[in-house]
Amino acid sequence: QVQLVESGGGLVQTGGSLRLSCAASGHTFSITVMGWFRQAPGKEREFVAAINWSGGSTRYADSAKGRFTISRDNAKNTMYLQMNSLKPEDTAVYYCAGLVGFWTTAQVMDPQKYTYWGQGTQVTVSS
């Protein structure tokens, strides 16, 4: 099995920054793509960013482009999300997730395609 654990969430003022981490353990060899998703109260879980574990190519939601940066450290089995210029609209529980096997461009944005999930970390941006 694979275990994913997020950390780094917290309370920050508008315009501030946070860096989220996702540590993976277990049979991580099966994961081909890692992604970040978020869910705000009363809303559906939405895609934020994803990264190809071997090649390092990335994809971002429009809301994240220019403000968020996804990265990974393969040696540490850890993924990061650097969030800058935070807005109250970014307030949500942020989840890291792992996709197994083959994938397509469309699939990396679909939470239903991911097999493994972390417990989530709360990000709150005050106005």
Side-chain angles (χ1 to χ4, degrees), residues 6 20-22 35-37 47-49 70 79-81 95-96:
E6 304 97 333
L20 306 183
S21 299
C22 176
W36 287 99
F37 293 80
F47 170 77
V48 178
I70 189 171
M79 177 179 65
Y80 306 95
L81 184 68
Y95 299 90
C96 66

Side-chain angles (χ1 to χ4, degrees), residues 8-86:
L11 175 64
V12 65
Q13 293 183 314
T14 297
S17 299
L18 284 174
R19 184 175 182 244
L20 306 183
S21 299
C22 176
S25 60
H27 295 158
T28 58
F29 64 87
S30 63
I31 296 176
T32 54
V33 175
M34 293 284 288
W36 287 99
F37 293 80
R38 68 186 184 187
Q39 189 164 22
K43 301 195 70 177
E44 298 291 322
R45 187 166 299 187
E46 67 174 357
F47 170 77
V48 178
I51 187 166
N52 181 279
W53 203 245
S54 59
S57 60
T58 59
R59 175 176 285 269
Y60 295 91
D62 288 342
S63 60
K65 291 179 180 177
R67 299 189 300 128
F68 295 1
T69 302
I70 189 171
S71 62
R72 89 278 199 253
D73 186 331
N74 296 72
K76 296 181 179 180
N77 273 313
T78 302
M79 177 179 65
Y80 306 95
L81 184 68
Q82 178 67 47
M83 304 187 294
N84 299 324
S85 302
L86 284 163

